[in-house]
Amino acid sequence: MSVWDLLEAFGSIFEATGGVRFDVSHIKDDTPIDLYQIEILHRLQTEGGMSFERIFEGQTSRIVMIGLFLAILELIREKLIGAEQQGASIYLRPLTEKNAEQAVQEAIFTLTEAGNSQASQAKEEEKPPIPIAELPPESQQRATDAEYEKMESAKNQKQQIEN
């Protein structure tokens, strides 16, 4: 099953509630996604596996429906729930026995730590900036060939040491 299957299923649920005509260009929901994740995981743990459609039953707020859908995607990505297609329906089931709140918080912490680790690793791998040489005004005397060779030799030695 792919994310497109889930998106298609959500689209049909959203359409059934009149969501297609709803302008979503300026909606705002202050509810953190992890609260939706905790709610879904807790329901799956206490009520058992359920159909994708059942998660959205009784929801009239399209904003909440979008939040629930995004939470489902995150829970699947974090491997806290599984989604299986059985015939024409999609069924969700919990993949952890941990307390829903604890499992979601640990997953968020793990993702945050992984992101911070990747960011610091990328920063360590950054190449040093290209040195900028300041050229003397043309009115000043130019370096002789011997002085130029001496500067090039020193520059090459510095590069060998850095490598």
Side-chain angles (χ1 to χ4, degrees), residues 2-16:
S2 73
V3 70
W4 300 112
D5 296 325
L6 289 170
L7 189 57
E8 186 177 320
F10 177 69
S12 63
I13 293 168
F14 202 64
E15 186 175 317

Side-chain angles (χ1 to χ4, degrees), residues 37 74 77-78 106-117:
Q37 290 175 290
E74 282 295 314
R77 183 173 70 110
E78 295 163 355
E106 285 176 7
I108 291 169
F109 179 74
T110 301
L111 287 174
T112 303
E113 286 296 311
N116 290 343
S117 174

Side-chain angles (χ1 to χ4, degrees), residues 25-36:
S25 64
H26 62 276
I27 62 172
K28 183 177 178 182
D29 183 10
D30 292 332
T31 307
I33 198 78
D34 59 325
L35 292 183
Y36 291 121

Side-chain angles (χ1 to χ4, degrees), residues 1 5 8-9 53 83-91:
M1 129 164 281
D5 296 325
E8 186 177 320
E53 293 83 9
E84 300 168 350
Q85 189 153 9
Q86 296 178 358
S89 297
I90 297 171
Y91 286 91

Side-chain angles (χ1 to χ4, degrees), residues 1 44 75-76 79-84 91-95:
M1 129 164 281
L44 291 171
L75 288 167
I76 292 170
K79 295 179 177 49
L80 294 175
I81 67 171
E84 300 168 350
Y91 286 91
L92 304 174
R93 62 184 173 84
L95 297 178

Side-chain angles (χ1 to χ4, degrees), residues 48-63:
M50 65 181 67
S51 70
F52 182 78
E53 293 83 9
R54 189 167 163 206
I55 295 288
F56 300 96
E57 278 181 0
Q59 297 298 331
T60 56
S61 169
R62 287 164 185 84
I63 294 170

Side-chain angles (χ1 to χ4, degrees), residues 37-54:
Q37 290 175 290
I38 292 166
E39 176 188 340
I40 293 167
L41 184 56
H42 179 73
R43 279 187 66 193
L44 291 171
Q45 289 174 334
T46 57
E47 299 174 30
M50 65 181 67
S51 70
F52 182 78
E53 293 83 9
R54 189 167 163 206

